[in-house]
Amino acid sequence: MRDDPFMDRVVDLDEAAALLRERVESWRSAGLEVGEMTWRDWEAKWPQPLETDRARVNDPDSLGVVISGSAEAELQVVLFRGGWADVDFFDGLDDFGPLPASNIASACDFAARMDQWVVRVFGSLGSVQ
């Protein structure tokens, strides 16, 4: 296994993926499109490819998902096991950019933040068309 001094294992990515899967049905019912989750393998040779099949990833260091809504609104999230995420959004109107996503302490913390980011970008799920 490759030495991993810069990437502590703060967040269990498999647990985070399970918590995302629990939300997919409600997001889709609200009219959102949810792309396949992507995984990056820490052990893969550079440039590390993104995989949609978790079984092809031995040592995941990131988990990504893209959620799209009406008026070209989009939320892109990549969670890193070290406890941070890259989060970018466009609300379909005039608001866009990165969202703060550091000091993520656990998969549950990440899931709670995802819920907030979805509302921030798409509004409450009851109002998404």
Side-chain angles (χ1 to χ4, degrees), residues 43-88:
E43 295 177 353
K45 291 183 181 183
W46 188 261
Q48 296 157 307
L50 298 179
E51 301 286 350
T52 56
D53 181 356
R54 170 63 179 91
R56 295 178 51 94
V57 177
N58 294 320
D59 187 16
D61 73 336
S62 73
L63 167 67
V65 67
V66 175
I67 303 171
S68 303
S70 61
E72 299 180 12
E74 187 170 275
L75 175 65
Q76 300 175 358
V77 178
V78 179
L79 171 65
F80 295 90
R81 69 183 179 200
W84 72 91
D86 291 339
V87 181
D88 289 296

Side-chain angles (χ1 to χ4, degrees), residues 27 32 67 73 75 89 91 95 99 111-128:
W27 292 338
L32 301 176
I67 303 171
L75 175 65
F89 79 100
D91 74 357
D95 198 9
L99 294 173
R113 293 182 195 211
M114 267 308 282
D115 292 340
Q116 293 170 356
W117 296 328
V118 166
V119 169
R120 167 74 171 79
V121 176
F122 305 106
S124 67
L125 294 185
S127 66
V128 175

Side-chain angles (χ1 to χ4, degrees), residues 2-4 9 20 22 26-27 34 39 47 73 79 87 98 108-109 112 117:
R2 204 161 89 179
D3 190 20
D4 185 5
R9 296 170 191 270
L20 288 179
E22 289 177 2
S26 66
W27 292 338
V34 182
W39 301 85
L79 171 65
V87 181
C108 289
D109 181 16
W117 296 328

